Amino acid sequence: MNHFNASRQPVQAQRPNTAPGNAEARKVAEQLMDSMNALLGLVERETELVRAGQVREAMTLESKKQELSRNYVSAVSELKTNQAQLAKSAPELLSTLHRHHDAFRAMLQVNLTVLATAHAVSESVVRGVNAEIQKRNVPNTYTAAGRRAAPGPRHITPLAVSRSL
């Protein structure tokens, strides 16, 4: 009879411990969802602004984006801590989180593509301006073989670019 009671007590002792864990795990999952939604909204806005060529306005979102990113990383680390509990207590919530996170990553990929495109375009413009400036500074001379002379280091003028818009 003692063996039967001993086997029942751990089950009863575990039940009260899992209830707060369930609530905590659900709270962490909700925090992650909220964090992803807030960051996703900001990233979508940034993507729209950059696509529209409003880079200056998009840059104003940087500090808010950093704050939301920190919140997201914090929520992800808390979820990793409670993932086992969440998988036991609410597997459907965990699968919903995975689906939402996949959509989140896809939108981040779109944002990164737009930012990389804007970067490549701006770099191309700067290189083009630099090439035009260098053409004007180089003397137009020919070598003894009748080819254009390559400019020497003293003829190349550095280009200064202000990064502030």
Side-chain angles (χ1 to χ4, degrees):
M1 207 165 191
N2 285 341
H3 180 65
F4 180 73
N5 286 338
S7 65
R8 284 187 82 173
Q9 285 179 348
V11 172
Q12 290 174 352
Q14 286 177 354
R15 229 173 244 187
N17 290 339
T18 57
N22 288 343
E24 182 181 333
R26 285 187 180 275
K27 181 181 174 188
V28 168
E30 288 172 8
Q31 286 175 344
L32 180 59
M33 281 286 239
D34 292 343
S35 176
M36 278 193 289
N37 288 334
L39 188 55
L40 188 60
L42 187 74
V43 165
E44 287 174 345
R45 177 73 179 136
E46 180 186 51
T47 301
E48 291 170 5
L49 290 171
V50 171
R51 279 184 174 160
Q54 299 173 347
V55 177
R56 186 175 299 160
E57 191 175 334
M59 288 176 62
T60 63
L61 303 175
E62 183 179 350
S63 62
K64 184 69 174 170
K65 187 176 176 182
Q66 287 177 351
E67 176 188 336
L68 291 174
S69 296
R70 279 191 297 272
N71 292 346
Y72 168 74
V73 169
S74 173
V76 166
S77 65
E78 285 185 44
L79 180 71
K80 284 182 181 179
T81 303
N82 294 306
Q83 186 174 4
Q85 181 64 33
L86 191 61
K88 289 178 189 174
S89 65
E92 71 287 345
L93 181 60
L94 194 58
S95 66
T96 301
L97 272 174
H98 282 291
R99 284 192 308 273
H100 191 66
H101 195 262
D102 289 341
F104 176 73
R105 282 195 330 224
M107 186 58 202
L108 284 181
Q109 188 61 45
V110 169
N111 178 261
L112 289 174
T113 302
V114 167
L115 293 176
T117 302
H119 182 269
V121 167
S122 64
E123 184 176 341
S124 175
V125 168
V126 169
R127 287 185 188 273
V129 168
N130 185 41
E132 286 299 316
I133 289 172
Q134 298 310 323
K135 279 183 188 177
R136 292 181 185 170
N137 292 333
V138 175
N140 198 8
T141 59
Y142 294 91
T143 64
R147 295 189 186 130
R148 280 194 183 262
R154 70 179 199 164
H155 295 292
I156 295 176
T157 308
L159 176 66
V161 178
S162 173
R163 291 189 178 258
S164 65
L165 296 173

